[in-house]
Structure formats: structure tokens, C-alpha cells
């Protein structure tokens, strides 16, 4: 994996010559390609690409960007050219269990995740997190009840705007977001579900898994959509269990799966490795 | 893993002293324990054990068996003492895709699976299996249609009885068994489902998985019950896939998962390593 | 997995009747067995068992212990009966990289690891760990050089004794212990090596792995012996890599493997699930 | 994964503009790119690419090939443009254990591996393979002894030439090839070693693994070089084992690993997904 300054991601209807057009344009504008991945979805005829590049001395990213708009129009591309010299701003939401939050904070501290967390929001009070170092981040206790859900979500949304957060991570935040908030955060809100979806949707998935007698349990990181547990899947993983594992054992083993699945999904998103493909994702993993 | 001649499996309500009672009885009757595994289901209070043993010269298995009935009655056990010097008789059913069948036959040929296959049954004709060596086993073409389902199943059942088959393996046999046949084969009919249950029940699971955009696919071996795809799970496994995998790729990768999952489940059953626990299984794997 | 108060572990030359003798004795002295596992090493003729039990009201563990000594003598057992109502005392050693330490502290904080850490020792100064919450544990900076190695190890040994530490965990402590200290800590010092041993012994294993072009990397937790990287292996795990992974990527992916492998090994040890078998281990995993 | 007719693979020193030059050339000569993967080895400055394409009606592959030579010269590329409409010819070598051979033949029969096996060579006689259907392939018994090694290898080499075999697969062929034969087959001879290299080189790796007490065993497919067990690794995989597994259990579990690792490596090679990178490989897996 290289660490190039710029990442171009694009998707469009596939046509011969796209790669040539894009790479020739980039070359002529001083881009030195570090990493390039593409995918032709032969079912839908859609084309996806991710190109990470640095810029030669004397070349200008604004000139490159301006000119690229023409190519994008020609091919009717959805695209973005992101500058990775500034880490993305990320708001972290959590409920009672803080293993995913602690893990993300740790990875941030050692420089593994290229992000700037902006704040931590919880529907539980700060006492719940005794012993967890927030790394100087502001903590916002935003309790929620049926009656106050709308207001609480308004608060969250205000905080997103105020902190200029570009990504919201539900690090075991156990409240279902409303359709309204979900739409506002479309494509930039990642949730970790503690089951190998689409098995065991809804509440208490480890207890469901135990009840069904499965031999592996898993976790799923996905973009949040208004259709609960149905958002585009970014990453999944599993671990082997046995009849001897109690629901508590599953919860324990699940913690390890959840945190690594969520961390990978967040990293892929931060590195512009995920492109939406309808209700699915293209993940140019590394 | 040892290869003892006898295997005792038992389940009953847990009570202090069971292990002492059983092992003392076995010791006093000449049993040399090679492998012993137990499991206390703390939720249901049930106790499960598998004890593999050989018999000292001069000891008699029929005497041992007779006396054990008393202990079993005392503790209200479900139990069996099986002699593994004779391989179990197994009927193999298959439909169009023969990768699981070919794999089971190969493992039988090299002595990995301790079984005596009795016959192969297919709803397709023998031409479908050109190039597959049946190892001298009789092949029965039993076509099926909605109209003839009852008769076809009667044929299968006759063959089970005639061949004294103790286990029926649905090695990608793609017909749903009727409740009647399912009940006759209760606890001794193993199916391989080509998904990581409970996700993607029903038809074309790989296409379902592709449509949903999951990042891992799997297979599930389970005992057949009248509740389709809901039988007690014996074994499962998964493999990683990506957005670049077409449904055909999933089918290809799935073949490898299916055959190893089914082979493990069959081996566990043949070695008396599986005990039913309601709608779940206890698997004393090795 | 049950959480019984007492755990009996034993190993001895195998003889018929051991299980009956032990379980009958336990039953007669009020033990209610929660979990029992055994292993017959057919190569060496040695027998290993782990029995977790609670004691019925009115029964006495000291009476049980006293009487058991007789059985143990009869069968020439190595054995221990440990009371798990008091968590074991654990000294944690670390060098520059603190991901394993942070992970162990986190698991301790949420109650996943049943231990009482006594102190943290590092050959680096406390500034190295900015942002890591030690949970109130004393931190001891014990720098080391060739010239001061003996003195530094004497300090460590003093601290082990002073803190009554029963286990020492080398959580990426990158100094080779002397033979003298190794012997003092025999069977109670666990190290994490960042490779899938026996591949890539010695320094910079991720760079070695990258150089060799392997397709999976791993980590190994083992008891420390005077023979470097040759101690009895407790746990290992791996992850898939590709040609595109730089040594830095391997280090990053390796952190995740190391911390879960070490955490599992420590848990197995704390729960008396590991029994030494010459240069190998018997691990009654759960 | 697409199934394009042509695959271009190339490696050269990296320079800005390579991708643009190649893709523009291909586009202008009627190539419709189905799959493209590239890798910049930042350590060595080398660039690797695999481009699978179909040709538009009216375009000529010989014209495309001719013109490409110029680009290749300019960039000093090692390259190949292979036509995949004709399956590659493959010679299969085997010794006593035939699980890998049986597996490759099965995958060939069902069309999973795009190859034309030319013959089977064994140092054991045909009786050893009773019950294995060779699919009509000629079988050559070529016994070997210290005294006849040179002659036997000459026979093999004659057969390679006579059958126009482009790839030689050592499917558990347990003879070490001489330097001379190794060099003749450079880059087109794949071996499966039954360990997770570099651990357990040489003979009886499963017994070595058992002796060392590792917790996972593996297998490695690699190109054969004169340096035994040191050839460029194409694929590896592992499975978990425990203290309870005897060497025989490892051999049994290992068979499953070996056959899937070898089958993957052969498929990658047949699909031109493997490019040599010094003593390592770039594998554009799918």
C-alpha cells in the first residue's frame, strides 16, 4: 500500500477507452500513479476505479481538477479527487459497550487510522467509561428516549455540522437512526452490526446465534441506510465457536470480531477504498 | 484422535456423580478409555458425553452393555454403545452437481471415511456422471416429478431398508424430502446447504449472496428435519469473497467449502461425535 | 464455558482407571464437576486432565486437597488444585510498542481477563506511552544495556517477588531474558513472538516474511525458555497478506494478530487451560 | 472475474506514463479491457501489470502484438500476450499419494481448470492408483533410483517436449528434481510442499510440525527452483490443529489444505495471474 497524497475515485457506465483517457489525462497533468485498481461490473455494465497519485513539482491540483471535470462529463462519471494530506474529520457515537470506541481511539493514537476525531457522543453518561482515555476529545452525553428522539438527533446533527465531521461512526451505538438523519448522513455513516448479516438481524444477535446453534459467529460493518441492517456491506468477518460457548462467550469472542471489522471498514472509507454500487460496495482493499 | 473399538454416547439431565458412576462402571468392566469428552449445558441442565474405549482381553462387551442398562435407567439416559469395528452403511444421494459425491467417494477410497457406501441414488441419469468412478457401487436413477414424488421417495426408503443403510447423505441432492421420509430418517440424514445458514435459505443461495453483497460465503451441513433449512447444524465454514466475484465465482469457491464441510460432518457422525441437543448439536470434534 | 471456583489440572503416566478414581474421589468429597477435559498422548503414554468444579455446601476444599494427595501419589501425578475466586497476579513487561499492553489492560478493565495486574515494567520511559491509561498501575522504568542487564533483571525479579506476581507477560518486551531469569520464571512467563514460529525466528520477522514472499503472516504466544523462540507454543494465528503489502503493512496487520494471540494465551493460562507436555503444550481451549 | 480471450502481463522499471501508454495503445488497437491490475513495488521500483482484454471485431491480434513490441522496447518490459482460447498443456507428476492428482483431475473434468492435461507420470506403478479415473490420460510409470535418476529425468524431459507441455505440476511428486531439469522448467513447474514454508522444510513436515507443537499447519505451492523449498511462493493456506491431533490426523487435515492450495496456484498460473518478482511472486488473485 502506498500513501499517495491524492485519491481519485470514479464510477460510470463502462465504455472502451476510459482507462486510457483517465490515465493519459493524469499523466499529462503531472500525476504519478502509486496505486490503481479498477472493476468492471459485468452484470450492470458499470465501471469503478480508484487511482492514488502524487503530483510532480510544478503541477497544480486545481488545474488538474478543473480539466478533469471535462472528462467526467464526457463519461458521465460520479467522481471525487480527495486530498489526503489533511485527515478526515470523524464523529464517534457509542452506547454502553466501548470496545469498538476504545479500539478506534487506540488506532488513532498510534497513527494507524488517518483521521481527526472531532468528538464522542453517547446516550450514556461519562461515568460509564471510567478508565477509558478519550485522548482529549470532547464528550457529549446525549440521552435519548422515545419522546426526545427527534431533539436528540437534532443535537447530533448540529454537532456534525459544528465539528465539520465528514464521517460518523456508530461504534456500537445501539439506537436506530431516523430516516431523516440517515439520509443526511448517506454514504458517510458506518455502523457495526454484531452478526454475520443477513443472518440474525435485529436485537441480541449473539443470543439468536446461540439459539440457532451456528458454528461460526460474525460481525458486519455497513453504511447506514433507512432500511435497518440492510445497508451496503463494507466488511465482514467470522470466528469459529462450539456448543460449549455460552451467549456470554459469544459476546466475548464477538468483541474481537466487531472491533477488527469496524476498524477495517473505517480505514477503507478513510482511504477512499469504498465505492457504492447500488445496495452493494466495491472495496479496493489493501 | 484415537481409534477405539467402542464409543459410548449419552445425554441426560445433569446430576453430580454421573462421570464417576459411568467411568467407574466402565473401568470395572474392562474398558480402557481412549478419549472422553463431556459437556454440561448450563442453560438446560443437560449433560452430554462421548467415551471411546477398547476392551481388555477377557472382558465381554455384551456383559458390559447389559450392566450399563441399569446405570442408564438410574440416570434416565439416552445412550448408545456402538461397535466401530464394522463401518457404518451409508446411502449417497446426488443431483446434477457431483463435487460432494466425488469427494466422499475419494475419501472413502483412501480410507479416510470409515463407512461402507451401499449405493448411489440420483434423480439424474448416469450419463450426467461421465468420468466419475463409482467405485463399484450400484447406481440407481430415480427421476422425480411433482406427480411421482411419493413413489420416488417410497423407492428410496425401500433401498434404505434393503441396503440396511444406517445413514443417508444428501450430497447436493436438490429435492426437498417429504415430512414422512424426513421423519423416518430422523437423526440419520445429513444435508449440505450451500449457504452460511441462517442467511440465504431456499434456492440459489450464491446468487442471493451476490445480490446482497456479502464479503464471505459459506456452507452448512445439518441433519434434515421437516422444517426446511432449519435442521440441527453439524458443521459450517466460510471463505472470503470480493465485489469482483461473479455468481459463477461464488459457485466455484462454494464447491470447495461445501465438500469439506459435508465431509467433516459425515466423519463426525460416523465417529459418533455428534449428539442432538434439541434443535442444536453437541459436536465433540477432533 | 463455566466459571467454576476450583480447577484441578493433572498429568501422569496413563493407567486404566484414572478417570474413575479421580471423578469418584471428587464426587465423594462434594465436588460438582462443571467442565472436564482429558487427553491421552498415545505417543508418550501420558495422561492429562483439567477438571473445573464447585464445592457443595458443607464440603471442605482443604479436606479434599489433603485426601487428593494420596491419589496423586498413587498415580505419580503432577497436579494442582487452584482456587479461582482470587484473580492471579500478573506483571506486565513492555518495550516501545504498546498495542499488546493496551489490549491486555483493556480486557482487564472490562473484566474479560480474570487477573490482577501488579505493575508495568518497561525499558523505555513513561513518555513513550503518552495517552495510554495504565489503570492506576505502578509504572517502573527499568532501562537496560549490555552492561546493566544483570542488574536490571535483578530489579525485575525483585519486583516479581515484592508484588507476588504469579505470571509475567512479555507484551512485546523486546529484550532476551537471561537463562537465570528464564529458569526462575519457568512455566509462568509468556512471550508473544511476531511470527508464525518456527518460521522467521529472531529479529525483524515481518521484514523477513516480506523478503521471503509468504502469503500469510502470523504470531506465536509461548512460554519463555532459555532456548530463544523455542519455548512451548500456547497459541498461534495468521492473516492473509499479498505482494502489495509493504513491511509497514505487515507490521500493522501483525499488531491485530499479536494482540489477539497473546490475549488468548494469557486467558488460557489464567484459567488453567494449559498443561506442559515436554516442549509442547496441551491446551484445553474454550 | 471475467474470461477475456487475451491476457497481457508485463513487468519493468516503473516510470510515469506507463499505464497511459499501454492502455492508450490497447484502446487504439481495438482492445476492450475486462480486467486490469497493477502493482508498484516501491522497494525495487519495479512495475507489474496484468490486463485481460477482448478484441473488437475487425482488429487483429498480430497487428496489436507487433506494435506492442515497440512500447515494450521503450520501457524495457518483460511481457507476454497470451491467447486463452486454447487451454494450456499440463504434465502431471505424482508419487504415492494421489489426493492432489485426483483433485486436479476432478477440477479439470468439471471445467474449473482451463487446462489440457497431457499425461500422468509417476515413480510408482499404476496399481497404486486403483479406483482413480485418469480421464483417458496416458499414464507413464517412470521408476527412479539413485543410479537411474539422470535417465529418468531425461525421460520426463522427453515427455514434456513430446507432449508440448507448457506447465509441469508436481502433485505430491516426492522426488527432488536435479538442477538441470529445474532450470529447463524454470517458471513453469509448480510444486506443493506440505508445510507452511519456511517452517518445516525437508522431509516429513507433518511429523516435524507435530514434534514442535504448532497450533496451525499449512501447505505451500511454489515454483520449483534449484534451491529446494526456496522457490517463489504462489499460494499458502493453513488450518487449526490441537494437541489431540496425531501425526496421522495432521496428514489427513493436510490433504485438504494441500489440494486447495495447489489447485489455486495452478489456476492462478493458468490464468496468467502470477508474475515473478525476483525470488517472490506478484499474484493478481481473483
Amino acid at each position: 500500500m502506498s500513501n499517495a497524497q491524492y485519491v481519485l475515485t470514479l464510477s460510470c457506465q463502462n465504455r472502451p477507452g476510459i482507462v486510457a483517457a483517465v490515465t493519459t489525462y493524469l499523466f499529462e497533468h503531472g500525476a504519478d500513479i502509486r496505486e490503481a485498481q479498477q472493476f468492471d461490473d459485468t452484470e450492470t455494465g458499470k465501471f469503478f476505479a480508484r487511482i492514488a497519485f502524487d503530483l510532480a513539482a510544478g503541477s497544480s491540483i486545481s488545474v488538474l481538477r478543473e480539466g478533469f471535470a471535462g472528462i467526467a462529463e464526457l463519461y458521465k462519471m460520479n467522481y471525487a479527487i480527495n486530498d489526503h494530506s489533511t485527515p478526515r474529520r470523524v464523529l464517534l457515537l457509542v452506547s454502553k459497550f466501548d470496545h469498538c470506541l476504545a479500539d478506534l481511539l487506540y488506532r488513532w493514537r498510534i497513527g494507524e487510522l488517518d483521521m481527526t476525531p472531532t468528538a464522542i457522543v453517547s446516550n450514556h453518561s461519562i461515568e460509564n467509561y471510567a478508565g477509558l482515555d478519550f485522548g482529549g476529545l470532547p464528550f457529549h452525553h446525549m440521552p435519548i428516549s422515545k419522546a426526545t428522539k427527534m431533539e436528540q438527533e437534532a443535537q447530533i446533527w448540529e454537532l456534525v455540522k459544528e465539528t465539520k465531521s465528514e464521517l460518523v461512526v456508530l461504534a456500537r451505538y445501539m439506537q436506530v437512526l431516523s430516516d431523516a438523519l440517515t439520509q443526511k448522513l448517506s454514504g458517510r455513516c458506518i455502523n457495526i452490526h454484531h452478526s454475520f448479516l443477513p443472518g440474525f438481524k435485529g436485537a441480541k444477535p449473539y443470543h439468536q446465534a446461540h439459539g440457532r446453534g451456528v458454528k461460526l459467529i460474525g460481525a458486519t460493518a455497513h453504511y447506514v441506510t433507512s432500511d435497518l441492517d440492510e445497508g451496503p456491506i463494507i466488511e465482514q468477518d467470522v470466528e469459529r465457536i462450539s456448543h460449549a460457548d455460552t451467549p456470554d462467550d459469544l459476546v466475548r469472542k464477538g468483541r474481537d470480531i466487531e472491533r477488527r471489522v469496524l476498524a477495517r471498514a473505517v480505514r477503507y472509507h478513510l482511504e477512499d477504498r469504498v465505492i457504492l454500487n447500488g445496495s452493494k460496495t466495491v472495496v479496493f482493499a489493501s
Side-chain angles (χ1 to χ4, degrees), chain A:
Chain A
M1 189 193 89
S2 67
N3 288 302
Q5 184 174 355
Y6 301 101
V7 177
L8 161 66
T9 51
L10 64 88
S11 63
C12 62
Q13 211 55 31
N14 200 4
R15 273 168 49 189
I18 292 182
V19 180
V22 169
T23 54
T24 301
Y25 177 85
L26 290 175
F27 173 55
E28 288 170 350
H29 289 75
D32 189 7
I33 298 178
R34 299 290 184 194
E35 210 182 331
Q37 289 159 295
Q38 65 176 77
F39 168 57
D40 306 292
D41 188 334
T42 50
E43 280 179 295
T44 61
K46 287 193 78 179
F47 173 82
F48 302 84
R50 175 188 187 272
I51 299 177
F53 61 93
D54 285 315
L55 218 48
S59 297
S60 152
I61 187 68
S62 55
V63 170
L64 185 149
R65 274 194 173 117
E66 212 169 303
F68 194 81
I71 293 183
E73 206 179 297
L74 188 67
Y75 288 96
K76 296 191 176 31
M77 290 176 182
N78 285 315
Y79 80 103
I81 299 174
N82 289 323
D83 183 342
H84 284 257
S85 54
T86 308
R88 215 157 281 179
R89 299 177 66 79
V90 182
L91 184 66
L92 302 166
L93 272 65
V94 67
S95 290
K96 190 176 170 199
F97 300 113
D98 62 13
H99 52 284
C100 285
L101 175 65
D103 185 61
L104 292 173
L105 292 174
Y106 180 77
R107 292 178 198 266
W108 165 55
R109 178 167 83 77
I110 64 168
E112 181 178 311
L113 286 176
D114 188 32
M115 65 178 183
T116 298
T118 55
I120 295 164
V121 171
S122 174
N123 56 326
H124 293 258
S125 67
I126 197 164
E127 287 72 34
N128 186 59
Y129 309 100
L132 182 62
D133 191 315
F134 289 154
L137 296 178
F139 176 89
H140 301 270
H141 180 203
M142 298 188 182
I144 187 168
S145 69
K146 264 194 181 169
T148 64
K149 185 182 179 94
M150 220 172 68
E151 288 77 3
Q152 195 249 18
E153 287 203 344
Q155 270 186 295
I156 293 175
W157 179 240
E158 274 312 302
L159 192 62
V160 169
K161 288 190 294 185
E162 195 183 286
T163 57
K164 297 187 172 53
S165 295
E166 302 160 279
L167 174 68
V168 173
V169 177
L170 309 186
R172 294 296 305 265
Y173 178 71
M174 304 307 283
Q175 300 295 320
V176 177
L177 301 192
S178 70
D179 284 10
L181 186 54
T182 294
Q183 267 156 33
K184 285 195 178 90
L185 297 174
S186 179
R188 55 192 189 109
C189 179
I190 296 175
N191 181 48
I192 179 77
H193 184 79
H194 43 318
S195 92
F196 184 72
L197 288 173
F200 312 125
K201 296 176 188 176
K204 290 207 165 261
Y206 291 128
H207 290 75
Q208 291 184 53
H210 184 259
R212 180 63 185 88
V214 292
K215 302 301 184 188
L216 298 160
I217 54 165
T220 303
H222 62 91
Y223 286 116
V224 174
T225 61
S226 56
D227 205 353
L228 191 63
D229 296 341
E230 291 289 340
I233 293 170
I234 305 169
E235 173 65 355
Q236 300 186 294
D237 210 345
V238 297
E239 267 185 40
R240 188 159 283 271
I241 58 164
S242 85
H243 60 264
D245 285 301
T246 63
D248 281 354
D249 292 326
L250 302 196
V251 167
R252 169 173 56 79
K253 293 185 176 184
R255 279 195 296 263
D256 276 29
I257 315 174
E258 292 163 34
R259 65 181 193 172
R260 73 172 180 259
V261 167
L262 180 59
R264 277 186 210 141
V266 169
R267 188 169 64 80
Y268 292 155
H269 180 94
L270 293 173
E271 295 177 4
D272 284 324
R273 295 182 179 280
V274 192
I275 308 180
L276 281 170
N277 182 14
S279 63
K280 306 196 288 185
T281 61
V282 172
V283 179
F284 293 121
S286 74

